[in-house]
């Protein structure tokens, strides 16, 4: 797997993602500076890591979404290449128009830093094939603006097309939209593009890939991408 | 030419920061606060004197970056 992790000023999870890619997928990614205009030749996967790109000025991800490298990321996505946006990366994907909707301030205003329980809603994507359908996984979250929202029509389209891949659930495994940790519409934690090759999610699978950290629930996501790329 | 761009959340979008400020004002005893919505102000200086042209430029700035039209609306005012 040839992976590129885009580094924006203020990104701070690029090391975590690189470590997870190496540890789980055996791939040492190239770190690409945001002002570059081209991805390394043969890039299979682009990761937009978590953090606070450009200090979250204006809106989370807004300035990063207009960075020079993003034209190449967009072209890579259009070619069907894999793009993974985690946390701030998800915000950048929404701001850049690669995914619909927007992430706004958590409903109860607090920055949330803890583990979240997520239901894997579908397993026929390049990111989730290693999970069992309906599996409940534990990924950490750390965000102040992870409240996913979109207009009613977009939400209806996302649900109709089955593009919600990860949803926050209660300890009983059920979804409860009145109790969702950050207020996200329909308890949405992660969505994919219509071609299924772009995933954005707020929680951090890259931080649960080692038993030392209490869980390896995130491994499945990285292993799924390796499988998907081997199939190509 | 000086312009002011005001970006505010659409009325249907929950504004938790505005709500928090509203609550704080109430608890301070400031009278007659019905509701508060928070927004952003951009003071922008533009070269040239053609207002129509400037307005088109500012619209472009809003659509491309200053506002996320999924959740926000913007208003352009010329000041002095």
């Amino acid at each position: 797997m040839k992976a590129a992790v885009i580094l924006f000023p203020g990104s701070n999870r690029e090391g975590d993602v690189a470590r997870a890619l190496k540890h789980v997928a055996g791939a040492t990614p190239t770190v690409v500076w945001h002002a570059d205009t081209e991805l390394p030749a043969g890039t299979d996967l682009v990761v937009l890591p978590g953090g606070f790109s450009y200090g979250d000025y204006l809106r989370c991800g807004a300035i990063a979404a207009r960075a020079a490298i993003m034209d190449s990321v967009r072209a890579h996505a259009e070619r069907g290449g894999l793009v993974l946006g985690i946390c701030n990366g998800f915000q950048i994907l929404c701001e850049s128009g690669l995914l619909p909707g927007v992430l706004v301030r958590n409903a109860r205003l607090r920055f949330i830093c803890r583990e979240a329980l997520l239901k894997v809603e579908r397993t026929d994507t390049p990111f989730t094939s290693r999970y069992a359908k309906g599996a409940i996984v534990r990924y950490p979250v750390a965000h102040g603006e992870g409240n996913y929202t979109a207009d009613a029509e977009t939400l209806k389209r996302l649900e109709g097309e089955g593009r919600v891949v990860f949803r926050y659930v209660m300890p009983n495994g059920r979804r409860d939209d009145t109790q969702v940790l950050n207020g996200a519409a329909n308890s949405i934690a992660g969505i994919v593009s219509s071609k299924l090759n772009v995933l954005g999610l707020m929680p951090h699978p890259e931080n649960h890939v080692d038993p030392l950290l209490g869980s390896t629930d995130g491994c499945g996501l990285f292993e799924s991408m390796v499988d998907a790329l081997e199939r190509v | 030419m000086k312009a002011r761009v005001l970006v505010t959340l659409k009325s249907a979008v929950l504004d938790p920061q505005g709500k928090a400020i509203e609550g704080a004002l109430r608890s301070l005893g400031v009278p007659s606060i019905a509701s508060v919505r928070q927004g952003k102000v951009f003071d922008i200086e533009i070269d040239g004197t053609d207002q129509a042209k400037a307005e088109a430029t500012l619209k472009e700035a809003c659509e491309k970056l200053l506002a996320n039209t999924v959740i926000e609306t913007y208003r352009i005012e010329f000041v002095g």
Side-chain angles (χ1 to χ4, degrees):
Chain A
M1 179 202 283
K2 205 162 173 190
V5 178
I6 313 295
L7 183 60
F8 300 95
S11 294
N12 61 15
R13 295 296 189 105
E14 72 282 0
D16 305 60
V17 163
R19 203 174 301 119
L21 283 166
K22 185 144 199 297
H23 181 68
V24 184
T28 304
T30 310
V31 175
V32 177
W33 186 234
H34 67 106
D36 287 351
T37 51
E38 278 180 34
L39 295 167
T43 296
D44 299 307
L45 164 72
V46 174
V47 182
L48 305 178
F52 301 86
S53 57
Y54 299 87
D56 278 353
Y57 291 167
L58 189 62
R59 299 177 303 276
C60 295
I63 300 177
R66 280 109 184 136
I69 194 65
M70 288 306 290
D71 284 338
S72 292
V73 175
R74 209 169 280 118
H76 172 79
E78 273 163 22
R79 282 195 298 272
L82 297 185
V83 180
L84 170 64
I86 303 167
C87 200
N88 191 229
F90 185 16
Q91 294 162 342
I92 295 168
L93 288 174
C94 287
E95 276 286 343
S96 68
L98 278 163
L99 290 174
V102 63
L103 283 311
V104 298
R105 190 68 58 124
N106 295 340
R108 280 176 288 278
L109 283 173
R110 291 192 186 92
F111 189 96
I112 302 165
C113 184
R114 66 171 174 85
E115 287 184 336
L117 287 177
L118 309 168
K119 187 174 177 195
V120 182
E121 293 282 7
R122 67 185 284 182
T123 55
D124 58 339
T125 79
F127 307 97
T128 53
S129 61
R130 286 282 191 113
Y131 292 111
K133 191 166 161 51
I136 308 291
V137 295
R138 210 153 40 96
Y139 290 173
V141 295
H143 59 244
E145 306 196 26
N147 180 352
Y148 182 82
T149 186
D151 58 55
E153 198 182 308
T154 304
L155 285 175
K156 207 174 145 197
R157 183 162 48 86
L158 284 173
E159 295 289 357
E161 294 173 0
R163 286 169 54 190
V164 179
V165 174
F166 292 103
R167 229 186 277 270
Y168 301 107
V169 290
M170 299 291 111
N172 65 10
R174 298 229 179 87
R175 162 185 167 190
D176 182 348
D177 290 347
T178 64
Q179 297 293 320
V180 56
L181 86 165
N182 54 21
N186 296 5
S187 297
I188 290 171
I191 55 171
V192 281
S193 61
S194 56
K195 287 196 293 187
L196 308 181
N197 62 318
V198 180
L199 171 71
L201 77 168
M202 283 316 294
H204 290 274
E206 77 278 20
N207 288 134
H208 268 182
V209 294
D210 192 315
L212 268 178
L213 293 169
S215 168
T216 54
D217 281 4
C219 289
L221 188 134
F222 294 93
E223 288 163 350
S224 299
M225 292 192 293
V226 172
D227 287 354
L229 289 167
E230 276 170 3
R231 273 201 303 273
V232 176
Chain B
M1 215 180 326
K2 284 183 181 167
R4 176 163 285 180
V5 174
L6 299 115
V7 176
T8 48
L9 284 167
K10 287 178 181 171
S11 55
V13 178
L14 174 72
D15 175 10
Q17 293 172 101
K19 281 265 171 248
I21 296 161
E22 180 185 314
L25 288 172
R26 287 225 184 88
S27 67
L28 285 169
V30 179
S32 312
I33 299 289
S35 75
V36 177
R37 304 276 294 171
Q38 186 182 265
K40 297 186 188 98
V41 172
F42 303 88
D43 284 330
I44 301 178
E45 277 194 53
I46 305 162
D47 296 331
T49 51
D50 184 338
Q51 189 162 319
K53 225 166 126 186
E55 188 154 357
T57 299
L58 290 166
K59 260 196 178 144
E60 188 186 344
C62 288
E63 297 285 338
K64 278 192 173 167
L65 182 65
L66 299 183
N68 181 330
T69 52
V70 175
I71 47 167
E72 294 170 327
T73 53
Y74 60 86
R75 199 167 77 232
I76 296 164
E77 291 170 0
F78 287 93
V79 286

